[in-house]
Amino acid sequence: MRRAADPQEEQAMPVKTLRKPKPPPAFTGERADGASIAALHRQAEDCERCDLYKHATQVVFGEGPPHAPVVLVGEQPGDREDELGRPFVGPAGRLLDECLREAGVDRSLCYVTNAVKHFKFEQRGKRRLHSRPNAGEIQRCAWWLAAEIELLEPKLIVALGATALYALMGRSIGLTKYRGHLLKTMNGTPLLVTVHPSYLLRIRDRDEAQAARQAFVVDLARMQSFLPPE
Ligand code: URA
């Protein structure tokens, strides 16, 4: 005959081994859908959105920490950047590094990229002379810049010069008028407007060059409040 059920026995719950909850995975910059700067970079290597890929050595994508609070945007890679495949490693990059240091900003905390990812140049004998990207090239490449910014979600974007400003605002606005100002991008991210370091390299007059460099350092120092304290 079946034993009458003991109500206490019936209520006894199966013993569960409680596991410690797993710590959250370290942030690698990869989103749940697999999108990451590294994946974007790989995609950009096959970019044919405009013709600039035809003559450039390689795509020069942005680089920096995947959670960088500040994104610096230049114009396009130069000769050296094209050879090495890294942004701002030539003369303009060295000047940028010096000025960032003087402004008390650690470049390694920033993500550095360009509005246009291929070097545009004019061949003069053995030399490759920088040539300005046109509006169509900037607009086509803005797709990559927007994708980088969407992934990074920076607290601040710094436009270095008119090409970056055009790419980020989607229209021509006066660099001279807004230089040193904090604007907002189309998506509402604070945007600091300043000159391109190559502009400083082109100034012949020593005093003028010194004053322009000082003003650039003052602009860059505004980045400090968007970076973690040291
Ligand atoms: N000028 C730019 O705008 N970007 C670079 O990477 C180098 C020079």
Side-chain angles (χ1 to χ4, degrees):
M1 208 173 60
R2 206 164 166 260
R3 195 161 58 93
D6 176 341
Q8 273 191 358
E9 226 175 72
E10 285 225 325
Q11 276 169 19
M13 300 284 284
V15 179
K16 261 195 189 162
T17 324
L18 289 176
R19 293 220 189 108
K20 264 197 186 167
K22 269 196 195 164
F27 182 59
T28 59
E30 189 167 312
R31 275 195 331 210
D33 62 6
S36 69
I37 291 292
L40 261 189
H41 187 166
R42 282 193 296 277
Q43 258 178 281
E45 278 163 6
D46 298 324
C47 182
E48 297 182 3
R49 296 175 84 88
C50 74
D51 284 344
L52 295 183
Y53 75 95
K54 291 185 178 164
H55 304 289
T57 309
Q58 58 193 315
V59 72
V60 178
F61 213 68
E63 62 178 32
H67 49 292
V70 176
V71 172
L72 288 154
V73 184
E75 184 196 75
Q76 60 158 344
D79 186 62
R80 193 81 184 120
E81 287 80 13
D82 173 77
E83 278 170 17
L84 298 178
R86 298 185 55 206
F88 281 104
V89 288
R94 280 195 294 281
L95 179 57
L96 175 64
D97 288 351
E98 281 173 27
C99 292
L100 284 171
R101 235 175 283 125
E102 283 170 37
V105 171
D106 181 352
R107 171 169 168 171
S108 70
L109 297 177
C110 306
Y111 182 89
V112 180
T113 192
N114 282 301
V116 171
K117 311 286 195 242
H118 283 108
F119 179 35
K120 181 175 181 183
F121 59 92
E122 209 183 288
Q123 191 80 45
R124 289 264 182 88
K126 284 193 177 161
R127 297 185 67 204
R128 301 190 302 169
L129 300 183
H130 164 275
S131 176
R132 262 193 167 205
N134 61 37
E137 288 154 353
I138 300 167
Q139 284 158 13
R140 292 207 180 94
C141 218
W143 190 89
W144 295 109
L145 182 59
E148 286 172 295
I149 290 169
E150 196 195 319
L151 269 173
L152 293 157
E153 296 183 330
K155 294 198 177 83
L156 174 72
I157 303 173
V158 182
L160 300 168
T163 300
L165 188 57
Y166 177 66
L168 290 158
M169 296 299 283
R171 64 197 163 97
S172 266
I173 69 161
L175 176 70
T176 329
K177 183 168 172 199
Y178 291 105
R179 186 260 163 92
H181 289 230
L182 260 187
L183 308 180
K184 286 221 162 128
T185 63
M186 291 176 281
N187 295 333
T189 309
L191 174 69
L192 176 63
V193 181
T194 189
V195 296
H196 192 284
S198 298
Y199 154 75
L200 305 177
L201 292 172
R202 288 193 299 268
I203 304 176
R204 289 290 161 98
D205 182 81
R206 248 176 85 172
D207 292 343
E208 206 186 307
Q210 190 50 37
R213 179 192 169 119
Q214 205 39 51
F216 184 52
V217 170
V218 169
D219 287 348
L220 295 179
R222 297 196 70 184
M223 291 165 64
Q224 277 177 17
S225 57
F226 294 86
L227 289 164
E230 279 178 53

